[in-house]
Amino acid sequence: MIYVSPLKALSNDIQKNLESPLAEISAISRRAGNSLPPIRTALRTGDTLVWDRQQMLKTPPHILVTTPESLSSCSPPKEARQMLKTARAVIVDEIHAIRRR
């Protein structure tokens, strides 16, 4: 899933706020005797380190939180397109704040 947020600060908050519910889901599953694989999240902004970007390509996150600018900048490289083409859903938060360029 790709979650597109118009602001970098908001993207940071969204990614952090996903961690707690995902950890709770995992804990509930374990208590019920089930074993769920971890759901990985990642944040991709202009400040994302090259090493972190490379890790995303090697092991794509289940949920990628990003900004429109970062999404457009990671689209051209072949490897990034490969990562993005597995997305089954795209959430555009604050769609009214995203302008056509």
Side-chain angles (χ1 to χ4, degrees), residues 48-66:
T48 303
L49 300 173
V50 172
W51 186 87
D52 292 328
R53 292 178 193 176
Q54 291 170 343
Q55 293 306 110
M56 286 181 214
L57 295 175
K58 290 179 185 175
T59 308
H62 296 102
I63 303 171
L64 175 64
V65 181
T66 188

Side-chain angles (χ1 to χ4, degrees), residues 60-84:
H62 296 102
I63 303 171
L64 175 64
V65 181
T66 188
T67 61
E69 295 80 12
S70 293
L71 183 61
S72 67
S73 71
C74 77
S75 296
K78 182 180 177 182
E79 296 85 6
R81 282 196 313 267
Q82 191 68 22
M83 178 181 71
L84 296 174

Side-chain angles (χ1 to χ4, degrees), residues 85-99:
K85 84 178 199 180
T86 62
R88 294 186 182 169
V90 176
I91 297 173
V92 180
D93 193 0
E94 304 279 340
I95 195 165
H96 64 276
I98 299 174
R99 289 178 282 169

